[in-house]
Amino acid sequence: MAFPNLKVVGIMVVGCVVFTASLGLTQEIPSPPTPPQPMYKSEKIVVAMRAEFSDYKSLVPLMQKFEKETGIRIEHIDYPAVALRDNLITVLATGAPTYDVVLMDIVFIPEFAAAGFIIPLDGSKDPFIAYTKDDLADYFPGCIDAVTYKGHLYAKDYSSDIGMLYYRKDLLSDAGLGGPPTTWDELISYAKKLTKDFNGDGVTDQWGYAFTAKEYEGCLCIFNELVAQAGGSLIDKQGNVTVNEPPAVKALQFMVDLRNKYKVVPPGVVNYTEKDIHTGFINGKFAMARNWPYMWGMCEAPDSPIRGKVGMSKLPRLKQGGSTMGGWFFGIAAGSKRKRAAWELIKYLTSRESSVYMCYKSADIPYRRSFFEDPRVKRDLSWVLPFKDGMKDAVPRPSIPEWGTIKKPLWTEIAKALIGQKTPKQALNDVAEEWKRILSK
Ligand code: GLC
């Protein structure tokens, strides 16, 4: 079981970046760009996507613009993010021509490609449906790795993600703390100082830190990067299961300790998704939080109560830096009867121009070199610039078709450890046993 993505992103170094960033979101939001007239049209295109994320705010106007300019009707079917994979599989497995375009999390790509749910986008299936040379050179290598399965390109990126530490500059300074914490030990000591019961009623009003630990993909992103920071992996480059080795046990112990020993994250993190993180952070319930770049846009929005008070930095390290590589991609369903028109839409939604629009509108960032060179980005959206360097710590989750199956026992066992039902070692030994059974089939 190779681990092709581990070479990761050809995007380099930032040392200890702290970006308190210029406020990028006060500028007038440009209109969606005008798409070129497509060579191939269809009466309509059906897109399966997720609803409740930042990018939805950009994708919908882009699709409306495409519709208006091309006369192709777009029907989008929206799923909650946590239900997207299972719903897509249910439909795609039938091979019926229900969806034309599918939105995929980075981790769906090998699974869907191996199952034959999506088609290659490199001209090998249809010469019209092919990345241009220009695009191939523009996307960062880690992104091209992420969309490649058995030598073919299966998806096209519009939004990249790496985990970041958000912190309230004002609260840190009031507590006599300097810059953001850069190590696990500092994170603990900062979070202890920032966890507060203001009126002495025994109820914590402000938590030092928060992360997503509900039983879903977001929890695994946290665990994956902590394991990398501790110097380990979930599955190594040779395909060996390493999820119960000392670095992984240390990572899970750290999650457990933050909640149960130091009590610096809310006990409710076991039910948290990104929405709970951004809601709590913006409402002042958390002094620090781990989230994706999109939250910057919310923190700095004109009506945000914490605007101008937020800093964003790389995640604290243990043995080394580490940040889970996420992102969202479009593919074409194998059952689609309108593949060429679908490709025309994907090209528009993932174009350089659309990416710049998306960043103005919803603070989403593409894995494109040219984006970071764009004069509009340098002028108005300079808060994104350090990401180009910050991505050097990006660590993919295991890029294997079985990820969709093996992730479930992992999040179940993490939950058991978090609520104290099992020790981290026991929980991860159980995961390893289950993974070996599944992967040996
Ligand atoms: C973000 C990432 C995605 C990850 C998800 C977890 O959307 O881009 O890769 O799986 O968060 O919630």
Side-chain angles (χ1 to χ4, degrees), residues 170-178 193:
D170 55 334
L171 301 180
L172 264 65
S173 142
D174 292 351
L177 299 164
K193 287 195 179 131

Side-chain angles (χ1 to χ4, degrees), residues 46-51 56 75-79 84 88 98-99:
V46 181
V47 182
M49 56 192 273
R50 62 176 181 168
Y56 189 79
E75 194 183 307
H76 55 93
I77 299 175
D78 307 332
Y79 293 108
L84 182 64
L88 287 179
T98 315
Y99 304 142

Side-chain angles (χ1 to χ4, degrees), residues 82-133:
V82 289
L84 182 64
R85 171 188 170 270
D86 291 352
N87 278 296
L88 287 179
I89 290 178
T90 307
V91 173
L92 295 174
T94 68
T98 315
Y99 304 142
D100 302 302
V101 172
V102 288
L103 179 63
M104 294 175 287
D105 188 342
I106 195 167
V107 285
F108 302 173
I109 301 168
E111 180 180 20
F112 286 16
F117 292 166
I118 48 176
I119 61 158
L121 309 179
D122 53 9
S124 58
K125 170 96 181 161
D126 175 344
F128 178 76
I129 300 176
Y131 267 63
T132 59
K133 281 205 179 102

Side-chain angles (χ1 to χ4, degrees), residues 355-356 359 364-366 368-374 377 384:
S355 301
V356 173
C359 194
D364 287 294
I365 308 171
R368 278 182 181 276
R369 293 178 218 272
S370 59
F371 173 81
F372 293 96
E373 298 305 321
D374 190 292
V377 172
V384 307

Side-chain angles (χ1 to χ4, degrees), residues 50 53 105-106 161 216-218 221 274 292 326-328 397:
R50 62 176 181 168
F53 260 72
D105 188 342
I106 195 167
D161 269 328
Y216 83 117
E217 193 75 50
C221 293
E274 285 83 356
W292 307 105
W328 289 82
R397 284 154 277 174

Side-chain angles (χ1 to χ4, degrees), residues 193-318:
K193 287 195 179 131
L194 293 164
T195 298
K196 290 186 175 159
D197 166 9
F198 293 124
N199 54 6
D201 64 356
V203 178
T204 301
D205 302 297
Q206 175 183 292
W207 293 94
Y209 191 48
F211 52 78
T212 51
K214 188 184 164 87
E215 294 180 46
Y216 83 117
E217 193 75 50
C219 167
L220 306 188
C221 293
I222 308 299
F223 179 61
N224 182 58
E225 65 205 7
L226 289 171
V227 175
Q229 289 159 20
S233 58
L234 307 189
I235 292 179
D236 72 12
K237 287 181 192 165
Q238 288 70 43
N240 302 308
V241 171
T242 45
V243 71
N244 58 339
E245 291 198 348
V249 175
K250 203 169 223 172
L252 185 52
Q253 187 68 58
F254 186 55
M255 289 170 77
V256 170
D257 287 350
L258 287 171
R259 179 180 184 269
N260 304 344
K261 178 174 169 191
Y262 306 116
K263 301 188 193 313
V264 292
V265 301
V269 287
V270 290
N271 293 313
Y272 280 10
T273 67
E274 285 83 356
K275 192 173 175 201
D276 302 288
I277 301 297
H278 67 237
T279 310
F281 190 70
I282 288 165
N283 291 338
K285 197 171 147 195
F286 317 136
M288 301 185 288
R290 185 274 187 206
N291 207 348
W292 307 105
Y294 82 93
M295 190 165 87
W296 181 259
M298 297 183 159
C299 296
E300 293 304 331
D303 59 351
S304 159
I306 56 169
R307 184 163 169 213
K309 296 180 178 164
V310 178
M312 185 169 44
S313 71
K314 288 173 72 165
L315 291 166
R317 52 194 285 133
L318 184 64

